[in-house]
Amino acid sequence: MSTDPEIQVPYDVLLELGMRSLGLVGVANPDARATMDVLLCADLRGVPTHGIQRLLTYVPRLRSGLINPLPDVRIESLAPALKIIDGDNGLGPVVATKGMAEAIEMAKSSGIGFAGCRKSNHFGACAPYVLMACRQKMIGIAGANSPPTMAPWGGLTKLIGNNPLGIGVPCEGDTPFVIDIAMSNSSRARIFNMAAKKEKIPGDWALDSEGKPTTDASEAIKGFVLPMGRHKGYGLAVAIDILSGVLTEGAFSLGLKSLAENWHEPQDIGHFFIAIDATRFMSWDVFSKRMKDLFGGLRSSRRIDPGSPIRIPGERGTQTEMDRRHNGIPIPPRFLETLKGLAEGNYDYDIPKF
């Protein structure tokens, strides 16, 4: 993205630009709103790589028929707490929002719900979906598989995606616990950005095409990213692929196609969503008190740097969201002009490579 100084743009302005852009390429208004809610949630929480800039790739894929703008999303009940969702190659945020909504509804009646999704696309960040559950006083878990960018631990062939996992836990009167992570030490998006700036990357982020550690971002792009925690991150990435693809009878491993590099086939991404009703275990007040007790213990830990507070995972994102809802979302001016062009049907721009 541009390195220009950023300007603060109100949420509603970006929401309107995004919905107009999606409407011009045939997306129904409710689906456009669901998509923008997910993307702008990432921007609000300080994760622009999964925010509105994703429209720069979503829109051309919609225009070229690689994403279905009007999917017939089909939901099949397998058991009281199990559903499978066929996304009909719709926008990832549309399919995923339905997935978490179904998991929440099952949890209301059964205490827990699992919804698996297949035939979908890139769904953005995990946080928007687990926060859907938190707003219903439920624990939310979300994951998705993705096109291969990692090799099996000890291998040289890219077979495993940098598959994300999110967990959200609500707490009355305090920030929700939110963890939203992918399985690599660093994303390819960040490596692409550093390559564009001719910056070196840390030596534990990636291997080159021959399997050797590299600090050259360009060589890392030719090779593959390294999993966090070495074999542990690799194992978690495979587990997410199983839950998102193998279990849902969807695509997995090499069956998944790149969002930015494959312009011939749909992505065929899979997701999974779990909602757990904590009030089946205890009252909401008791659960929140136990969460606050946990948070209080963490925050009271003796600090390495006395001037640096200990934060609960997700706390910084919540504070950032509160600030940006009031003051606007920082956007580079040239990117804002591109967004305005998208909303008018101007598609003359460089599509991001990640």
Side-chain angles (χ1 to χ4, degrees):
M1 297 305 296
S2 171
T3 57
D4 292 348
E6 295 175 321
I7 56 176
Q8 307 297 116
V9 183
Y11 178 95
D12 289 344
V13 171
L14 294 175
L15 175 63
E16 180 182 359
L17 289 173
M19 291 189 65
R20 283 167 52 189
S21 300
L22 292 169
L24 284 178
V25 290
V27 178
N29 194 66
D31 288 353
R33 179 58 191 258
T35 300
M36 292 313 304
D37 283 345
V38 167
L39 296 183
L40 288 176
C41 178
D43 282 309
L44 286 170
R45 295 181 66 84
V47 190
T49 55
H50 290 67
I52 194 171
Q53 68 169 270
R54 287 293 175 174
L55 287 182
L56 300 184
T57 307
Y58 289 5
V59 167
R61 290 186 76 86
L62 283 158
R63 293 182 68 223
S64 62
L66 293 173
I67 299 177
N68 183 356
L70 296 171
D72 177 19
V73 179
R74 295 177 292 279
I75 302 171
E76 180 184 355
S77 179
L78 305 177
L82 287 175
K83 288 187 179 179
I84 191 76
I85 297 171
D86 186 310
D88 193 30
N89 192 33
L91 280 160
V94 172
V95 180
T97 297
K98 291 182 185 295
M100 182 52 90
E102 290 295 327
I104 291 168
E105 286 304 307
M106 288 185 285
K108 288 179 179 179
S109 59
S110 299
I112 189 169
F114 179 100
C117 304
R118 60 181 178 236
K119 296 184 180 177
S120 185
N121 287 279
H122 182 275
F123 78 168
C126 290
Y129 308 109
V130 301
L131 287 168
M132 284 176 61
C134 289
R135 287 191 288 270
Q136 298 293 321
K137 298 182 178 180
M138 293 188 182
I139 297 169
I141 303 172
N145 56 16
S146 57
T149 56
M150 293 193 295
W153 188 248
L156 282 173
T157 307
K158 284 189 281 191
L159 294 169
I160 305 298
N162 191 10
N163 303 330
L165 176 69
I167 302 173
V169 185
C171 178
E172 188 72 36
D174 207 322
T175 182
F177 169 94
V178 178
I179 185 167
D180 182 355
I181 56 173
M183 295 301 116
S184 69
N185 284 330
S186 177
S187 68
R188 275 171 59 85
R190 191 171 181 186
I191 294 173
F192 268 105
N193 284 336
M194 293 180 73
K197 298 174 185 177
K198 308 296 184 184
E199 296 176 351
K200 289 189 177 296
I201 63 172
D204 62 349
W205 277 15
L207 303 181
D208 65 17
S209 58
E210 299 299 318
K212 298 177 182 177
T214 182
T215 59
D216 186 325
S218 297
E219 290 301 314
I221 292 168
K222 298 174 188 175
F224 44 90
V225 295
L226 281 168
M228 64 174 188
R230 299 162 61 88
H231 62 285
K232 299 176 184 178
Y234 157 59
L236 280 171
V238 175
I240 295 167
D241 203 10
I242 292 168
L243 292 172
S244 302
V246 176
L247 184 62
T248 63
E249 292 190 277
F252 56 90
S253 189
L254 292 177
L256 303 160
K257 308 305 177 186
S258 171
L259 176 72
E261 297 174 9
N262 187 312
W263 291 90
H264 306 287
E265 302 168 274
Q267 282 199 278
D268 215 357
I269 299 296
H271 325 300
F272 72 90
F273 303 94
I274 301 171
I276 302 169
D277 184 357
T279 64
R280 297 297 185 105
F281 296 83
M282 64 197 76
S283 73
W284 172 242
D285 288 343
V286 170
F287 178 75
S288 290
K289 181 183 182 303
R290 291 174 64 81
M291 289 296 295
K292 288 178 183 176
D293 288 345
L294 172 62
F295 289 174
L298 297 174
R299 288 174 173 139
S300 67
S301 171
R302 188 176 170 207
R303 306 172 192 172
I304 295 173
D305 178 359
S308 180
I310 292 171
R311 298 179 184 272
I312 304 303
E315 185 175 1
R316 189 188 301 275
T318 298
Q319 292 171 348
T320 300
E321 179 175 354
M322 291 173 62
D323 175 75
R324 292 184 176 184
R325 283 194 181 278
H326 183 263
N327 296 313
I329 295 170
I331 297 288
R334 280 188 283 183
F335 175 48
L336 181 59
E337 291 306 308
T338 301
L339 285 176
K340 290 178 179 178
L342 267 186
E344 299 297 330
N346 181 359
Y347 306 116
D348 183 19
Y349 62 86
D350 293 329
I351 300 172
K353 294 182 171 63
F354 54 87

